[in-house]
Amino acid sequence: MPITISLLNSLSGVAGAVTGLAIYDPVLVAVGGIVGAAGLILTQVMCKAMNRSLTSILIGKTAVAYGKNDSDKAGVAFAENDINREKAIKQESEEEKIKRIIEEAKSIVIIPGYGMALAQAQYIVKGLYEKLTEEGKEVKFAIHPVAGRMPGHMNVLLAEADIPYDSLFELDDINDEFSCTDLVIVVGANDVINPAANTAEGTPIYGMPILNAHLAKNIIIFNKVTNPGYAGVQNTLYELDKVILKLGDAKDTISEVFGV
Amino acid sequence: MSNSLYYTLALICVIGIIWGIRLMNSPKTAISGNLLGAISLSITVLLTLLKYGILSDYVLWAGMIAGGLIGYYISIKVTMLKIPQMVALFNGLGGGASGLVAIIILAENHNIENLFIKITAVLGLIVGWVTFSGSIVAALKLDQKISQKPIQLKKHNLIIGISSALTCIFAILLIIKPSGSLLF
């Protein structure tokens, strides 16, 4: 969807430019051309980020994998129950574990997603950012090119909350760092960290480069539900042992865990 | 206003717009960049009105003020969360506006012989309305008025193929139809 919107955006420029040609108005052509060209470049960048061609997105191959997905669901739901039960047993120690992980963590990467926008959690994330930096930890934000629902969605939200722009990092700049990161905090992101993108052939996200959150030492996920995200693919990340799931409204769960 | 003066001033405005986009690179300068772009665009509109001698057309001003007020109201009311929808909607309206201009060109000058104008107007018509309908659907999806899940129709590719083919056929018909008649 972000790619379609970016393409439509450029098309409105193209439409303006073409109409400008028809009425012999060079100014309209120029302005339309700027919008069209900028939009097309952005579209191209995002297509590259998803590792897919523009035509395959436009024709809508995305939905092909749906049938396959449904058949997997029963198994996954079952596995999820198991996870929940296990989690319930560990419940008491979990809070202590989280505390220990946070205290020990030196380098922290925060991954925001559409859920952060939905929960309006950017201000609490800012509070979290301040608290962690004050404790002397290195905090970075990892922004996937198609995180959210429109180009630059996350950047805008984080900038709105006054988070310094130079602590935001693009996919290519930060992806190699995950293997030496102590703690990844996921706030409402799903598809962009789903390792299934590397393995689940035929799904909409197959072949899309992801943020390698699964390589980090510990992962705390603040998501509302464990349901598949926008792309409709179960996130295999949830099944890893080093992952701590905090389900619920990100605003509440973050302030509960970090006390901000 | 002479042509060369108009073009020179307009060029300065276009540079202003590009510079504004450049300033949007960083959140620190983004606000002034946005302002610069908006001012440049407004001056361009005024210049164009001046050039074609329609600066005193009150209907035009009434339309612009009404549109401006609606836009202002929406941008004040909108919550941060709903900005993507708003952007998609405004974007679609831009495409729709181009489409309307194309319709006017084709309908008003239906005895135009200039092939260049005909072709560009038809192109503008198609691209403009594709942008309009696509952006409206995108805005509704973002607003969750319609499901965000991709909808795959039966024989999806066939439908897309047929509608693209029809678009091409009508485009060619519009271009080659004898001038002097709006309809066939």
Side-chain angles (χ1 to χ4, degrees):
Chain A
M1 181 101 117
I3 293 182
T4 318
I5 290 178
S6 152
L7 181 71
L8 287 170
N9 209 340
S10 91
L11 279 188
S12 78
V14 174
V18 174
T19 318
L21 284 176
I23 56 172
Y24 287 118
D25 192 317
V27 182
L28 192 52
V29 177
V31 176
I34 298 171
V35 176
L40 275 181
I41 294 171
L42 184 62
T43 312
Q44 199 54 43
V45 169
M46 291 168 79
C47 279
K48 248 192 189 157
M50 287 203 55
N51 208 2
R52 295 177 62 196
S53 75
L54 187 57
T55 28
S56 78
I57 290 167
L58 285 186
I59 293 173
K61 275 185 187 157
T62 42
V64 181
Y66 265 79
K68 219 194 252 172
N69 240 350
D70 283 339
S71 57
D72 295 346
K73 240 175 211 163
V76 176
F78 191 66
E80 219 166 78
N81 272 341
D82 278 349
I83 297 171
N84 287 345
R85 209 175 305 138
E86 251 174 64
K87 286 260 152 77
I89 299 167
K90 287 186 200 158
Q91 192 77 61
E92 265 169 296
S93 63
E94 189 185 56
E95 275 168 29
E96 284 160 26
K97 190 180 165 196
I98 291 179
K99 232 180 195 167
R100 180 177 54 80
I101 290 173
I102 297 170
E103 257 166 37
E104 283 173 4
K106 290 259 177 318
S107 55
I108 298 177
V109 174
I110 301 179
I111 301 178
Y114 185 59
M116 185 187 77
L118 269 188
Q120 282 284 287
Q122 66 267 34
Y123 292 106
I124 204 132
V125 169
K126 155 89 170 166
L128 172 64
Y129 169 81
E130 277 178 345
K131 181 170 183 263
L132 293 175
T133 16
E134 264 168 34
E135 287 168 11
K137 304 179 196 308
E138 183 195 25
V139 185
K140 290 177 177 174
F141 287 85
I143 314 242
H144 194 278
V146 291
R149 289 289 183 275
M150 68 168 195
H153 200 166
M154 293 302 116
N155 306 55
V156 171
L157 285 175
L158 294 175
E160 187 204 0
D162 275 335
I163 287 167
Y165 211 56
D166 44 16
S167 60
L168 311 188
F169 291 87
E170 302 280 325
L171 175 85
D172 286 338
D173 298 330
I174 198 158
N175 235 0
D176 297 334
E177 288 181 29
F178 278 110
S179 47
C180 46
T181 299
D182 298 327
L183 172 63
V184 165
I185 301 172
V186 176
V187 185
N190 187 1
D191 291 332
V192 296
I193 50 164
N194 190 350
N198 298 329
T199 50
E201 211 167 321
T203 59
I205 54 170
Y206 178 63
M208 175 179 89
I210 54 160
L211 290 162
N212 292 327
H214 56 281
L215 299 179
K217 253 183 234 156
N218 290 293
I219 305 159
I220 306 182
I221 299 179
F222 296 97
N223 281 2
K224 189 132 195 157
V225 285
T226 54
N227 291 347
Y230 186 66
V233 185
Q234 269 297 345
N235 197 336
T236 48
L237 186 68
Y238 295 151
E239 292 155 29
L240 296 180
D241 277 341
K242 58 186 175 185
V243 170
I244 299 171
L245 267 174
K246 278 283 177 189
L247 299 184
D249 191 289
K251 238 185 200 165
D252 304 335
T253 44
I254 291 179
S255 58
E256 178 195 315
V257 171
F258 292 96
V260 285
Chain B
M1 190 190 284
S2 74
N3 263 349
S4 53
L5 181 64
Y6 170 65
Y7 290 147
T8 320
L9 289 176
L11 184 67
I12 296 173
C13 289
V14 170
I15 293 172
I17 294 166
I18 297 178
W19 195 253
I21 294 177
R22 210 196 110 81
L23 287 179
M24 285 183 213
N25 256 334
S26 144
K28 271 179 212 139
T29 52
I31 294 174
S32 48
N34 199 9
L35 203 63
L36 178 63
I39 291 173
S40 308
L41 268 179
S42 317
I43 296 176
T44 321
V45 171
L46 284 180
L47 277 177
T48 311
L49 293 185
L50 253 178
K51 163 143 197 282
Y52 293 100
I54 43 176
L55 194 60
S56 53
D57 191 330
Y58 61 92
V59 180
L60 223 154
W61 280 103
M64 288 206 295
I65 290 170
L69 282 180
I70 295 172
Y72 185 71
Y73 177 76
I74 294 178
S75 60
I76 294 246
K77 280 282 274 190
V78 76
T79 56
M80 202 65 192
L81 194 62
K82 293 209 158 174
I83 281 187
Q85 288 92 305
M86 191 197 73
V87 172
L89 180 69
F90 282 6
N91 183 41
L93 293 183
S98 302
L100 283 178
V101 173
I103 288 184
I104 293 172
I105 300 168
L106 288 169
E108 263 211 330
N109 317 336
H110 47 85
N111 49 2
I112 33 174
E113 286 299 339
N114 190 330
L115 198 60
F116 178 74
I117 294 185
K118 270 189 180 175
I119 293 177
T120 47
V122 168
L123 271 179
L125 188 72
I126 297 170
V127 180
W129 290 108
V130 166
T131 310
F132 178 75
S133 53
S135 300
I136 298 300
V137 173
L140 288 174
K141 272 192 163 186
L142 286 170
D143 210 29
Q144 298 187 332
K145 291 263 170 13
I146 44 182
S147 163
Q148 296 207 340
K149 289 246 160 68
I151 299 165
Q152 187 96 347
L153 300 171
K154 272 181 197 164
K155 296 186 177 143
H156 202 88
N157 289 347
L158 187 71
I159 296 173
I160 291 179
I162 291 178
S163 58
S164 319
L166 280 178
T167 312
C168 291
I169 292 171
F170 279 118
I172 293 169
L173 283 178
L174 261 175
I175 292 169
I176 60 166
K177 88 181 157 69
S179 50
S181 60
L182 181 57
L183 297 168
F184 293 99

